[in-house]
Amino acid sequence: MSTNKITTIGSLVQQGKLDEARGILAEALSGELSDIERGQAIVTLVTLYLQVKNQINKEFLADIKKAVETLKAVDAVDRTVSDGIRLEKVRASLS
């Protein structure tokens, strides 16, 4: 597999054109690969995997941070309501 094909496959995957990348990869793998070509293909696939995984993790982390902020806001409201209820109970017990 030529370096050009490996680059093309990587570019297509990054653009989300998975069917096109799959077709080029299948065509390229139908022939014999030298050790260098096999190594290049493995490095490219691992690199792409890590890029996709990192993007997924970044998005997951952003979602988690949003959820934490929402939970903090809910906790603050809960605390305010609970404090108000306790205050009213104290006032009622004093009257």
Side-chain angles (χ1 to χ4, degrees):
M1 183 181 325
S2 70
T3 304
N4 188 33
K5 281 188 181 180
I6 292 171
T7 304
T8 301
I9 292 168
S11 177
L12 289 171
V13 169
Q14 288 176 341
Q15 294 172 27
K17 299 178 180 178
L18 301 180
D19 289 333
E20 290 178 50
R22 191 176 293 120
I24 293 172
L25 184 60
E27 177 186 320
L29 293 177
S30 64
E32 291 294 317
L33 296 177
S34 69
D35 289 341
I36 291 173
E37 290 172 334
R38 181 178 296 283
Q40 288 174 331
I42 291 170
V43 168
T44 299
L45 291 174
V46 168
T47 301
L48 292 173
Y49 170 80
L50 290 174
Q51 288 173 349
V52 170
K53 186 70 171 167
N54 285 337
Q55 185 61 37
I56 290 168
N57 287 341
K58 285 178 187 177
E59 292 172 10
F60 179 71
L61 183 59
D63 289 344
I64 291 294
K65 286 180 179 180
K66 287 179 189 176
V68 167
E69 291 303 316
T70 301
L71 289 173
K72 285 180 181 178
V74 168
D75 189 47
V77 170
D78 180 58
R79 197 174 315 116
T80 302
V81 170
S82 296
D83 290 348
I85 292 170
R86 279 194 292 267
L87 182 60
E88 285 302 314
K89 285 181 180 179
V90 169
R91 285 183 183 155
S93 70
L94 294 175
S95 17

